[in-house]
Amino acid sequence: MTETGAEKPLVLAVPSKGRLQENAAAFFARAGLSIVQSGGSRDYRGELAGIGNVEVAFLSASDIVAQLAAGAVHLGVTGEDLVREKIPDADAKVELLTPLGFGGANVVVAAPRAWIDVKTMADLEDVAAAFRARRGERMRVATKYVNLTRRFFAERHVADYRIVESSGATEGAPAAGQAELIVDITTTGATLLANALKILDDGVILRSQANLVASLGADWGPATRETARIILSRIAAEEEARATREVATALPHWNEDLGAKAKAAFSARLRFFASDGLLTLNCPTDQIAPLADWLIMQGAAHVCVAAQDYVFSARNPLYEKLIDRLPPASSVI
Amino acid sequence: MSLDDLSEAVAAHLIAAGYARCEPPILQPASIFFDSGEDLRGQLYLTTDVSGAEYCLRPEYTIPVSRHYLASAAEKSASFSYCGPVFRFRPGQASEFIQAGIESFGRLDREAADAEILTLSVEAARTARSLDFLVRIGDAGLFSRFLEALDLAPQWRRRIARGHSQGKTMKAILNAPAASPSADYSGVLALLEGADKRGARALVEDLLSIAGIASVGGRTPAEIADRFLEQAAMKTGFGFSQEKAELIERFLEVEGDPDAASAALRKLAGEAGLDLSKALDSFDLRTGFIAALGLEVKDLSFAAGFTGNLDYYTGFVFEALDDPKGAEGKPVAGGGRYDQLLQRLGADRAIPAVGAAVFVDRLGARPEQGTS
């Protein structure tokens, strides 16, 4: 643990095990931030190589959410599903800075496939009411997502149900007679299918993936903010590099008008233009081929496209997103 | 007046009116509130003892007081009052607040009991805060009786009653595209349409049993088949006509003082050839009792569309708003008749029940922030 000055270090919480841990470590490594576990893999504290004033905490995904909500860690990697489930007023307590492109899964409402008359939440509302009228008992929904379920069902006016909390193997609850339907997380839907369950047409509660999440209630002093700025600028630089390509060409008659067209049609941004007509653009990966075609139609002889490792910019969108949500920093440390 | 003084004034007024004080323990078994729905369950403050039994801080009084009545005097009629803290998780608001109220069980002179609950709770609120209220009244039983008299297919009656409780307009309920069977089956349903009903049902049931499904998710193949075919019928508008839709809309638009509204409803029923006389006689009788107890009838604002949650309320409903013009008013008292609750709580028969709550925290000059 390193300490600079009087201020406590920035605490970054990352998952302590499984696929999420590997993916998170790979994500930070891509951004040039390698996580160093101080005393072997048994140690639950670590550092970011080359960046002072950071403490890495290895925690379970749900502990990360709790610590973010409590303000005990500054930044954390965890699934949006847990953030929305575990923090009652999530948008006031934390800021989802950026999705990380892994840990993707949907939280869905699934009913028995044999319910051929139930395709939508409106059907479910009707069936739930009839179920209760006939049996005097509410239909049971097995889930570990108690709060997400309550919110979603209330929005869809489904009232006649009762939650049965389930911590594991939720998809087996209907077959075991413990519940009539379930709310659970699924990636491919294969487990649901194997259990003779189907996702309702409008039954996707949340499309979740791992996010880099900032705690708004943590102690954000000037030094911690500066550390966050450095970390986030590297992450933003890697993100920008991953999502875009550098396009170089020569077009002597390039002008503002063409620049506006390139931006409107291909989301390409001019990065550099020299008076001899050499220019460099930055363009989203999936727009590269159409942009190259268009540049050639404008008279370019060659269009060279290159992948980059990092694109650092004066503007740091991730840090701006964070700083916008924090109170003004006091000048006194 | 301080909050303590307000509470005492309200409680004393209710006891003086003959409603014996009943104060159930603050710590209650959590499961007794589960049947009130997940909305309330989500607001509970829960705790467990060493044996794992789940308890909660009392979120409301009606269920504990009803259980007290069932355990003590269920064969006689009885009435109770209460006043004390209740606890609910409400984001941005105090989680502990004071509720006073009255419950009356087992009285067969329903109209008189309704009138007494209304006038007593409004008076109690007035003793604490001498302000004019807007008193809105409605009748869930009248609306249910009206839907019954229209002779709708049961699935339509269910859907309209529920849609109305959810605050939807008739148009929204009738045009809801969602509850229609999905496109996958529309061809099959078109074939079955008009076919012999029992035959169609047997076919669907057979198909389900070929798949080896005896009962999945607690519903039987017969139930699934029934509703599958019901959806087909609803799609073609079976059992529901434009005239009936218009009648329901006209019914729900009736508003005004109770006497004028009653006359308007009688006229509507007469034109439509529906027999609402028994329900409206009872309505008028209640209005008479309310007048006899001293409330100005012409100051009451009746709306046929004001029914409360039809799953809970079965008859008279009311609320007193702290703004006489009603525009910005918050309820300071409210309640109604809930004749089904006691049976759900385990009584062997339906027991008439009517009650009201007074929201003491709202009676202060200006509500204080965070009483807890």
Side-chain angles (χ1 to χ4, degrees):
Chain A
M1 199 156 86
T2 50
E3 292 211 14
T4 54
E7 209 171 315
K8 292 198 178 110
L10 179 145
V11 184
L12 168 67
V14 298
S16 58
K17 55 182 189 243
R19 292 280 301 279
L20 266 182
Q21 180 199 14
E22 290 163 27
N23 282 322
F27 167 81
F28 283 109
R30 276 203 308 275
L33 300 162
S34 46
I35 296 171
V36 191
Q37 263 167 306
S38 355
S41 64
R42 293 270 83 191
D43 198 327
Y44 288 95
R45 293 278 148 170
E47 295 172 8
L48 281 185
I51 298 189
N53 198 31
V54 176
E55 181 180 315
V56 177
F58 301 97
L59 299 169
S60 74
S62 61
D63 281 347
I64 292 175
V65 175
Q67 303 275 20
L68 283 166
V73 306
H74 296 83
L75 297 172
V77 172
T78 191
E80 184 177 357
D81 58 327
L82 292 176
V83 171
R84 303 271 170 223
E85 169 63 23
K86 301 279 181 201
I87 310 179
D89 195 2
D91 290 321
K93 293 262 172 67
V94 299
E95 175 72 21
L96 301 178
L97 293 175
T98 183
L100 302 180
F102 59 86
N106 292 343
V107 180
V108 301
V109 183
R113 285 179 63 82
W115 292 11
I116 56 172
D117 57 330
V118 176
K119 298 291 271 183
T120 64
M121 289 299 291
D123 285 328
L124 190 62
E125 189 260 341
D126 189 40
V127 166
F131 189 97
R132 182 165 172 228
R134 192 179 288 230
R135 294 178 175 75
E137 278 170 21
R138 288 165 191 264
M139 187 174 274
R140 294 161 302 167
V141 181
T143 188
K144 68 170 176 168
Y145 296 99
V146 172
N147 298 314
L148 283 175
T149 303
R150 280 188 188 136
R151 236 175 288 152
F152 188 73
F153 278 37
E155 281 164 15
R156 303 290 182 288
H157 299 298
V158 182
D160 293 310
Y161 71 102
R162 188 157 85 80
I163 288 177
V164 180
E165 281 192 62
S166 148
S167 45
T170 304
E171 67 280 351
Q178 291 156 353
E180 277 67 58
L181 57 154
I182 67 166
V183 169
D184 203 9
I185 198 148
T186 176
T187 44
T188 60
T191 320
L192 296 179
L193 204 61
N195 283 278
L197 298 169
K198 63 176 175 190
I199 300 171
L200 301 190
D201 289 352
D202 54 351
V204 177
I205 299 180
L206 180 69
R207 291 175 207 284
S208 174
Q209 60 171 301
N211 267 257
L212 181 63
V213 184
S215 166
L216 300 177
D219 189 6
W220 287 102
T224 323
R225 290 180 191 217
E226 178 56 15
T227 311
R229 191 190 62 77
I230 294 167
I231 294 173
L232 293 174
S233 80
R234 291 195 188 180
I235 290 172
E238 194 277 331
E239 252 182 16
E240 177 76 359
R242 181 160 35 92
T244 64
R245 292 290 179 273
E246 186 179 74
V247 179
T249 191
L251 264 187
H253 62 280
W254 180 266
N255 56 31
E256 271 183 28
D257 193 31
L258 287 175
K261 274 187 187 149
K263 193 171 178 192
F266 312 104
S267 312
R269 287 190 310 270
L270 182 69
R271 195 176 290 150
F272 174 78
F273 177 69
S275 52
D276 57 0
L278 290 177
L279 64 105
T280 311
L281 294 154
N282 205 41
C283 174
T285 313
D286 57 353
Q287 293 292 322
I288 287 299
L291 173 68
D293 272 348
W294 179 78
L295 288 169
I296 286 168
M297 268 162 57
Q298 304 308 315
H302 303 281
V303 176
C304 303
V305 179
Q308 300 138 104
D309 290 337
Y310 301 102
V311 179
F312 286 95
S313 305
R315 266 197 70 220
N316 180 345
L318 296 185
Y319 182 64
E320 280 170 18
K321 214 171 165 184
L322 169 64
I323 230 61
D324 278 353
R325 297 293 313 274
L326 297 179
S330 61
S331 49
V332 190
I333 298 180
Chain B
M1 264 200 271
S2 75
L3 196 57
D4 283 348
D5 294 340
L6 282 173
S7 309
E8 250 169 60
V10 172
H13 189 91
L14 299 175
I15 294 167
Y19 286 69
R21 183 81 174 256
C22 170
E23 283 300 324
I26 286 179
L27 203 58
Q28 292 281 330
S31 59
I32 66 172
F33 299 103
F34 288 175
D35 201 48
S36 302
E38 288 292 331
D39 273 352
L40 180 67
R41 193 175 167 192
Q43 298 176 349
L44 295 180
Y45 282 90
L46 291 162
T47 186
T48 41
D49 66 16
V50 282
S51 75
E54 219 177 356
Y55 292 87
C56 69
L57 300 180
R58 159 181 86 198
E60 59 105 49
Y61 271 99
T62 300
I63 288 175
V65 172
S66 299
R67 282 164 52 91
H68 169 78
Y69 165 71
L70 287 176
S72 58
E75 65 288 343
K76 293 178 295 208
S77 68
S79 51
F80 302 98
S81 67
Y82 57 81
C83 181
V86 293
F87 305 83
R88 290 192 197 192
F89 174 70
R90 306 175 301 173
Q93 292 181 64
S95 46
E96 175 180 343
F97 53 103
I98 305 289
Q99 210 173 77
I102 40 181
E103 315 286 353
S104 159
F105 303 110
R107 276 180 68 174
L108 295 172
D109 53 344
R110 287 183 169 80
E111 297 82 5
D114 289 350
E116 189 176 309
I117 293 289
L118 167 71
T119 45
L120 179 55
S121 59
V122 170
E123 268 171 26
R126 273 203 190 120
T127 42
R129 185 180 176 186
S130 54
L131 255 189
D132 277 343
F133 300 130
L134 172 75
V135 180
R136 298 180 64 217
I137 63 170
D139 195 330
L142 194 56
F143 185 48
S144 300
R145 173 70 201 119
F146 173 73
L147 290 181
E148 216 173 281
L150 277 178
D151 197 25
L152 302 170
Q155 65 266 34
W156 276 112
R157 207 159 76 202
R158 272 190 347 236
R159 193 160 135 184
I160 291 166
R162 283 205 323 279
H164 178 72
S165 291
Q166 293 161 7
K168 293 181 187 161
T169 62
M170 271 306 289
K171 239 182 219 98
I173 297 168
L174 296 178
N175 296 336
S180 63
S182 72
D184 323 17
Y185 299 131
S186 57
V188 183
L189 288 171
L191 282 176
L192 291 174
E193 197 192 315
D196 161 45
K197 208 179 164 217
R198 268 186 312 173
R201 179 183 146 165
L203 171 67
V204 178
E205 227 178 305
D206 277 353
L207 290 175
L208 287 168
S209 36
I210 290 170
I213 296 157
S215 165
V216 166
R219 297 171 74 212
T220 62
E223 253 178 288
I224 295 169
D226 269 349
R227 186 171 176 278
F228 184 66
L229 296 167
E230 212 179 83
Q231 293 302 303
M234 272 178 106
K235 203 180 180 191
T236 56
F238 171 78
F240 200 75
S241 65
Q242 190 54 39
E243 294 85 68
K244 286 181 182 175
E246 275 161 21
L247 276 175
I248 297 174
E249 275 178 338
R250 279 178 60 199
F251 177 92
L252 291 173
E253 278 163 11
V254 173
E255 283 182 12
D257 78 67
D259 290 333
S262 170
L265 289 170
R266 274 184 207 278
K267 186 160 164 279
L268 176 71
E271 283 168 16
L274 302 173
D275 182 15
L276 290 184
S277 54
K278 212 170 145 230
L280 284 169
D281 288 349
S282 151
F283 183 91
D284 291 341
L285 184 59
R286 182 171 60 222
T287 309
F289 279 121
I290 293 171
L293 287 172
L295 278 191
E296 276 294 342
V297 167
K298 64 173 173 35
D299 290 345
L300 300 177
S301 162
F302 171 84
F306 174 42
T307 61
N309 177 0
L310 289 168
D311 187 42
Y312 184 80
Y313 289 113
T314 56
F316 183 56
V317 291
F318 73 93
E319 62 181 7
L321 305 168
D322 61 1
D323 173 4
K325 292 186 189 70
E328 299 285 308
K330 279 202 198 118
V332 290
R337 175 162 290 283
Y338 50 95
D339 285 352
Q340 286 168 355
L341 179 71
L342 276 81
Q343 209 163 11
R344 281 185 194 162
L345 293 178
D348 52 7
R349 63 190 194 286
I351 296 176
V354 58
V358 178
F359 309 110
V360 177
D361 301 64
R362 294 196 183 140
L363 294 174
R366 272 293 98 194
E368 289 169 72
Q369 282 295 309
T371 51
S372 60

